[in-house]
Amino acid sequence: MLYFPYILLVLFIFIGIQYLLEVHMGSSICMYDAESGLLSPDCTPSKSSPCQFMEIAVPLQLAAIGLTLLACNLLSGVLLILLSVFLFCLCRKKLSTSK
């Protein structure tokens, strides 16, 4: 349990960097040509909405790390899995009320 705050700190730093890349700057899988390393003219970068990011990417990452933590620390793994379920349900509730 001692290392759980450090895991959370590193996890939130990575999620923050990914948030800046996905939501503010925009990215795309086909953005670069793999062979030449240049920009591909066929695909333009697209930005995700903050709710899409918090609904899909973050819960999946938290659940994956929580599942791996279940092997060494049950409480930490369960907390991350519950947090991922909460974020998934929270954004679903916002989307259903806005329609």
Side-chain angles (χ1 to χ4, degrees), residues 55 91-99:
E55 177 187 68
C91 236
R92 290 284 178 182
K93 192 176 289 187
K94 284 183 184 178
L95 286 176
S96 65
T97 58
S98 65
K99 288 182 180 179

Side-chain angles (χ1 to χ4, degrees), residues 43-95:
C43 189
T44 58
S46 61
K47 294 181 180 182
S48 299
S49 72
C51 195
Q52 284 177 337
F53 180 76
M54 294 299 278
E55 177 187 68
I56 298 169
V58 175
L60 285 175
Q61 292 170 2
L62 291 177
I65 293 172
L67 284 174
T68 56
L69 277 177
L70 284 176
C72 57
N73 192 343
L74 184 66
L75 182 63
S76 302
V78 169
L79 285 175
L80 283 179
I81 290 171
L82 288 176
L83 181 62
S84 70
V85 170
F86 174 74
L87 284 175
F88 182 75
C89 293
L90 182 71
C91 236
R92 290 284 178 182
K93 192 176 289 187
K94 284 183 184 178
L95 286 176

